[in-house]
Short mmCIF file of all heavy atoms in Angstrom, two decimals:
data_model
loop_
_atom_site.label_atom_id
_atom_site.label_comp_id
_atom_site.label_asym_id
_atom_site.label_seq_id
_atom_site.Cartn_x
_atom_site.Cartn_y
_atom_site.Cartn_z
N PHE N 260 18.18 -3.55 37.98
CA PHE N 260 18.79 -4.21 39.15
C PHE N 260 17.98 -5.46 39.50
O PHE N 260 16.87 -5.35 40.04
CB PHE N 260 18.80 -3.26 40.34
CG PHE N 260 19.69 -2.06 40.17
CD1 PHE N 260 19.20 -0.88 39.64
CD2 PHE N 260 21.03 -2.11 40.54
CE1 PHE N 260 20.01 0.22 39.48
CE2 PHE N 260 21.85 -1.02 40.38
CZ PHE N 260 21.35 0.16 39.84
N PRO N 261 18.49 -6.65 39.21
CA PRO N 261 17.75 -7.88 39.54
C PRO N 261 17.40 -8.00 41.02
O PRO N 261 16.37 -8.58 41.37
CB PRO N 261 18.71 -9.00 39.10
CG PRO N 261 19.58 -8.38 38.07
CD PRO N 261 19.74 -6.95 38.49
N GLN N 262 18.23 -7.44 41.89
CA GLN N 262 17.96 -7.47 43.32
C GLN N 262 17.42 -6.15 43.86
O GLN N 262 17.33 -5.97 45.07
CB GLN N 262 19.22 -7.88 44.09
CG GLN N 262 19.69 -9.29 43.78
CD GLN N 262 18.61 -10.32 44.06
OE1 GLN N 262 17.98 -10.32 45.13
NE2 GLN N 262 18.37 -11.21 43.10
N GLY N 263 17.07 -5.23 42.95
CA GLY N 263 16.40 -4.01 43.36
C GLY N 263 17.29 -2.80 43.52
O GLY N 263 18.44 -2.90 43.96
N TYR N 264 16.74 -1.65 43.16
CA TYR N 264 17.41 -0.36 43.29
C TYR N 264 17.67 -0.03 44.76
O TYR N 264 18.58 0.73 45.10
CB TYR N 264 16.55 0.74 42.68
CG TYR N 264 17.26 1.71 41.78
CD1 TYR N 264 16.75 2.01 40.52
CD2 TYR N 264 18.43 2.35 42.18
CE1 TYR N 264 17.38 2.91 39.67
CE2 TYR N 264 19.05 3.26 41.33
CZ TYR N 264 18.53 3.54 40.08
OH TYR N 264 19.16 4.43 39.24
N GLY N 265 16.86 -0.62 45.63
CA GLY N 265 17.00 -0.34 47.06
C GLY N 265 18.35 -0.71 47.63
O GLY N 265 18.73 -0.23 48.71
N GLN N 266 19.10 -1.54 46.92
CA GLN N 266 20.46 -1.84 47.36
C GLN N 266 21.30 -0.58 47.48
O GLN N 266 22.17 -0.47 48.36
CB GLN N 266 21.15 -2.78 46.36
CG GLN N 266 20.53 -4.15 46.23
CD GLN N 266 21.13 -4.91 45.07
OE1 GLN N 266 22.02 -5.73 45.25
NE2 GLN N 266 20.67 -4.63 43.86
N LEU N 267 21.06 0.38 46.59
CA LEU N 267 21.87 1.59 46.57
C LEU N 267 21.51 2.53 47.73
O LEU N 267 22.39 3.09 48.38
CB LEU N 267 21.72 2.31 45.23
CG LEU N 267 22.66 1.83 44.12
CD1 LEU N 267 22.45 0.35 43.82
CD2 LEU N 267 22.47 2.66 42.86
N THR N 268 20.21 2.69 47.99
CA THR N 268 19.84 3.55 49.11
C THR N 268 20.19 2.88 50.44
O THR N 268 20.56 3.56 51.40
CB THR N 268 18.34 3.90 49.05
OG1 THR N 268 17.57 2.72 48.80
CG2 THR N 268 18.07 4.92 47.94
N ASP N 269 20.08 1.56 50.51
CA ASP N 269 20.52 0.86 51.72
C ASP N 269 22.01 1.09 51.96
O ASP N 269 22.45 1.29 53.10
CB ASP N 269 20.26 -0.64 51.60
CG ASP N 269 18.78 -1.00 51.70
OD1 ASP N 269 17.99 -0.13 52.12
OD2 ASP N 269 18.43 -2.14 51.34
N TYR N 270 22.78 1.07 50.89
CA TYR N 270 24.22 1.28 51.01
C TYR N 270 24.53 2.69 51.50
O TYR N 270 25.34 2.88 52.41
CB TYR N 270 24.87 1.05 49.64
CG TYR N 270 26.33 1.40 49.60
CD1 TYR N 270 27.28 0.58 50.20
CD2 TYR N 270 26.77 2.55 48.94
CE1 TYR N 270 28.63 0.89 50.16
CE2 TYR N 270 28.11 2.87 48.89
CZ TYR N 270 29.04 2.04 49.50
OH TYR N 270 30.38 2.37 49.47
N LEU N 271 23.86 3.69 50.92
CA LEU N 271 24.08 5.07 51.34
C LEU N 271 23.68 5.30 52.79
O LEU N 271 24.27 6.14 53.48
CB LEU N 271 23.28 6.02 50.45
CG LEU N 271 23.84 6.30 49.05
CD1 LEU N 271 22.84 7.14 48.27
CD2 LEU N 271 25.18 6.99 49.12
N ALA N 272 22.68 4.58 53.26
CA ALA N 272 22.14 4.80 54.60
C ALA N 272 23.01 4.24 55.71
O ALA N 272 22.82 4.60 56.89
CB ALA N 272 20.74 4.20 54.70
N LYS N 273 23.95 3.38 55.37
CA LYS N 273 24.76 2.75 56.41
C LYS N 273 25.50 3.79 57.25
O LYS N 273 26.17 4.67 56.73
CB LYS N 273 25.77 1.79 55.76
CG LYS N 273 25.15 0.55 55.17
CD LYS N 273 26.21 -0.34 54.52
CE LYS N 273 25.59 -1.59 53.92
NZ LYS N 273 26.59 -2.45 53.24
N GLY N 274 25.35 3.66 58.56
CA GLY N 274 26.05 4.55 59.48
C GLY N 274 25.38 5.88 59.73
O GLY N 274 25.84 6.65 60.58
N LEU N 275 24.31 6.19 58.99
CA LEU N 275 23.61 7.47 59.18
C LEU N 275 22.56 7.36 60.28
O LEU N 275 22.01 6.29 60.53
CB LEU N 275 22.94 7.91 57.88
CG LEU N 275 23.84 8.21 56.68
CD1 LEU N 275 23.00 8.55 55.46
CD2 LEU N 275 24.81 9.36 56.99
N THR N 276 22.28 8.50 60.90
CA THR N 276 21.20 8.58 61.87
C THR N 276 19.92 8.93 61.13
O THR N 276 19.76 10.04 60.62
CB THR N 276 21.48 9.64 62.95
OG1 THR N 276 22.67 9.30 63.64
CG2 THR N 276 20.32 9.74 63.93
N ILE N 277 19.01 7.96 61.03
CA ILE N 277 17.77 8.15 60.27
C ILE N 277 16.60 7.83 61.17
O ILE N 277 16.54 6.77 61.79
CB ILE N 277 17.73 7.23 59.04
CG1 ILE N 277 18.94 7.49 58.13
CG2 ILE N 277 16.43 7.42 58.26
CD1 ILE N 277 19.06 6.53 56.96
N LYS N 278 15.66 8.76 61.25
CA LYS N 278 14.45 8.57 62.04
C LYS N 278 13.27 8.47 61.09
O LYS N 278 12.88 9.46 60.45
CB LYS N 278 14.27 9.72 63.03
CG LYS N 278 15.40 9.82 64.07
CD LYS N 278 15.15 10.97 65.03
CE LYS N 278 16.28 11.07 66.05
NZ LYS N 278 16.37 9.91 66.94
N THR N 279 12.70 7.28 60.96
CA THR N 279 11.55 7.08 60.09
C THR N 279 10.25 7.37 60.85
O THR N 279 10.25 7.52 62.07
CB THR N 279 11.53 5.65 59.54
OG1 THR N 279 11.50 4.73 60.64
CG2 THR N 279 12.75 5.37 58.67
N GLY N 280 9.16 7.45 60.10
CA GLY N 280 7.87 7.74 60.72
C GLY N 280 7.76 9.15 61.27
O GLY N 280 6.92 9.42 62.12
N GLN N 281 8.59 10.06 60.76
CA GLN N 281 8.59 11.45 61.20
C GLN N 281 8.00 12.33 60.10
O GLN N 281 8.70 12.78 59.20
CB GLN N 281 10.01 11.90 61.56
CG GLN N 281 10.63 11.14 62.72
CD GLN N 281 9.82 11.32 64.00
OE1 GLN N 281 9.53 12.45 64.42
NE2 GLN N 281 9.45 10.21 64.63
N VAL N 282 6.71 12.53 60.17
CA VAL N 282 6.01 13.31 59.15
C VAL N 282 6.17 14.79 59.47
O VAL N 282 5.63 15.29 60.48
CB VAL N 282 4.51 12.94 59.11
CG1 VAL N 282 3.80 13.73 58.01
CG2 VAL N 282 4.34 11.44 58.89
N VAL N 283 6.90 15.49 58.63
CA VAL N 283 7.20 16.89 58.89
C VAL N 283 5.96 17.75 58.67
O VAL N 283 5.28 17.65 57.65
CB VAL N 283 8.35 17.37 57.99
CG1 VAL N 283 8.58 18.87 58.16
CG2 VAL N 283 9.63 16.61 58.32
N LYS N 284 5.68 18.59 59.65
CA LYS N 284 4.53 19.50 59.58
C LYS N 284 4.95 20.95 59.37
O LYS N 284 4.27 21.70 58.68
CB LYS N 284 3.71 19.40 60.87
CG LYS N 284 3.14 18.01 61.14
CD LYS N 284 2.15 17.58 60.08
CE LYS N 284 1.50 16.25 60.43
NZ LYS N 284 0.55 15.80 59.38
N GLN N 285 6.05 21.34 60.00
CA GLN N 285 6.47 22.75 59.92
C GLN N 285 7.99 22.85 59.96
O GLN N 285 8.66 22.06 60.64
CB GLN N 285 5.89 23.57 61.07
CG GLN N 285 6.21 25.06 60.99
CD GLN N 285 5.69 25.83 62.19
OE1 GLN N 285 6.23 25.70 63.29
NE2 GLN N 285 4.64 26.62 61.99
N VAL N 286 8.50 23.83 59.22
CA VAL N 286 9.92 24.17 59.25
C VAL N 286 10.02 25.66 59.56
O VAL N 286 9.53 26.49 58.80
CB VAL N 286 10.60 23.88 57.90
CG1 VAL N 286 12.07 24.32 57.95
CG2 VAL N 286 10.50 22.39 57.56
N ALA N 287 10.61 25.96 60.71
CA ALA N 287 10.82 27.35 61.11
C ALA N 287 12.31 27.67 61.03
O ALA N 287 13.14 26.83 61.39
CB ALA N 287 10.30 27.59 62.53
N TYR N 288 12.63 28.86 60.56
CA TYR N 288 14.04 29.22 60.43
C TYR N 288 14.24 30.70 60.76
O TYR N 288 13.36 31.53 60.59
CB TYR N 288 14.54 28.91 59.02
CG TYR N 288 13.78 29.61 57.90
CD1 TYR N 288 14.28 30.75 57.29
CD2 TYR N 288 12.56 29.11 57.44
CE1 TYR N 288 13.59 31.39 56.26
CE2 TYR N 288 11.86 29.73 56.42
CZ TYR N 288 12.38 30.88 55.83
OH TYR N 288 11.70 31.50 54.82
N SER N 289 15.43 31.00 61.26
CA SER N 289 15.81 32.35 61.65
C SER N 289 17.33 32.44 61.60
O SER N 289 18.02 31.42 61.39
CB SER N 289 15.31 32.64 63.07
OG SER N 289 16.07 31.91 64.03
N PRO N 290 17.91 33.62 61.81
CA PRO N 290 19.37 33.72 61.83
C PRO N 290 20.02 32.86 62.90
O PRO N 290 21.20 32.53 62.81
CB PRO N 290 19.60 35.21 62.11
CG PRO N 290 18.39 35.89 61.57
CD PRO N 290 17.26 34.95 61.87
N GLN N 291 19.26 32.46 63.90
CA GLN N 291 19.82 31.65 64.99
C GLN N 291 19.82 30.15 64.70
O GLN N 291 20.52 29.39 65.36
CB GLN N 291 19.05 31.91 66.30
CG GLN N 291 19.29 33.27 66.91
CD GLN N 291 18.68 34.41 66.11
OE1 GLN N 291 17.53 34.33 65.68
NE2 GLN N 291 19.48 35.44 65.86
N GLY N 292 19.03 29.71 63.73
CA GLY N 292 18.98 28.28 63.44
C GLY N 292 17.64 27.86 62.90
O GLY N 292 16.85 28.69 62.43
N VAL N 293 17.36 26.58 62.98
CA VAL N 293 16.14 26.04 62.41
C VAL N 293 15.45 25.12 63.42
O VAL N 293 16.08 24.57 64.32
CB VAL N 293 16.43 25.24 61.12
CG1 VAL N 293 17.05 26.13 60.06
CG2 VAL N 293 17.33 24.05 61.42
N SER N 294 14.15 24.97 63.21
CA SER N 294 13.36 24.05 64.03
C SER N 294 12.39 23.31 63.11
O SER N 294 11.71 23.93 62.29
CB SER N 294 12.59 24.81 65.10
OG SER N 294 11.72 23.95 65.82
N VAL N 295 12.35 21.99 63.24
CA VAL N 295 11.46 21.16 62.43
C VAL N 295 10.49 20.44 63.35
O VAL N 295 10.90 19.75 64.29
CB VAL N 295 12.25 20.14 61.61
CG1 VAL N 295 11.31 19.17 60.90
CG2 VAL N 295 13.13 20.85 60.59
N THR N 296 9.21 20.62 63.08
CA THR N 296 8.16 19.98 63.88
C THR N 296 7.54 18.84 63.08
O THR N 296 7.10 19.03 61.94
CB THR N 296 7.07 20.99 64.26
OG1 THR N 296 7.66 22.08 64.97
CG2 THR N 296 6.02 20.33 65.14
N THR N 297 7.53 17.65 63.66
CA THR N 297 6.87 16.51 63.05
C THR N 297 5.57 16.23 63.80
O THR N 297 5.20 16.99 64.71
CB THR N 297 7.76 15.26 63.06
OG1 THR N 297 7.88 14.78 64.40
CG2 THR N 297 9.14 15.57 62.49
N GLN N 298 4.89 15.14 63.46
CA GLN N 298 3.62 14.85 64.10
C GLN N 298 3.78 14.49 65.57
O GLN N 298 2.80 14.53 66.34
CB GLN N 298 2.87 13.73 63.34
CG GLN N 298 3.25 12.31 63.73
CD GLN N 298 4.55 11.85 63.10
OE1 GLN N 298 5.36 12.65 62.65
NE2 GLN N 298 4.76 10.55 63.10
N ASN N 299 4.99 14.14 65.98
CA ASN N 299 5.16 13.72 67.38
C ASN N 299 6.45 14.18 68.02
O ASN N 299 6.81 13.72 69.11
CB ASN N 299 5.09 12.18 67.48
CG ASN N 299 6.08 11.50 66.55
OD1 ASN N 299 7.04 12.10 66.09
ND2 ASN N 299 5.83 10.22 66.29
N ALA N 300 7.19 15.09 67.36
CA ALA N 300 8.45 15.53 67.95
C ALA N 300 8.87 16.87 67.35
O ALA N 300 8.29 17.34 66.36
CB ALA N 300 9.54 14.48 67.72
N GLN N 301 9.88 17.45 67.98
CA GLN N 301 10.46 18.70 67.47
C GLN N 301 11.98 18.56 67.49
O GLN N 301 12.55 18.04 68.44
CB GLN N 301 10.02 19.91 68.29
CG GLN N 301 10.43 21.25 67.67
CD GLN N 301 9.75 22.43 68.35
OE1 GLN N 301 9.76 22.53 69.58
NE2 GLN N 301 9.13 23.31 67.57
N TYR N 302 12.61 19.04 66.41
CA TYR N 302 14.05 18.94 66.27
C TYR N 302 14.62 20.32 65.97
O TYR N 302 14.02 21.11 65.24
CB TYR N 302 14.42 17.98 65.14
CG TYR N 302 13.87 16.59 65.30
CD1 TYR N 302 12.58 16.26 64.87
CD2 TYR N 302 14.63 15.58 65.87
CE1 TYR N 302 12.07 14.97 65.01
CE2 TYR N 302 14.14 14.29 66.03
CZ TYR N 302 12.86 13.99 65.58
OH TYR N 302 12.36 12.73 65.73
#
Side-chain angles (χ1 to χ4, degrees):
F260 294 91
Q262 295 303 311
Y264 226 130
Q266 295 171 98
L267 274 60
T268 47
D269 288 346
Y270 173 74
L271 284 174
K273 290 179 180 178
L275 296 177
T276 299
I277 302 174
K278 297 181 181 295
T279 57
Q281 297 299 307
V282 182
V283 174
K284 299 297 185 181
Q285 184 184 72
V286 177
Y288 58 100
S289 72
Q291 289 70 46
V293 299
S294 175
V295 173
T296 303
T297 71
Q298 85 281 18
N299 54 19
Q301 189 168 50
Y302 302 85

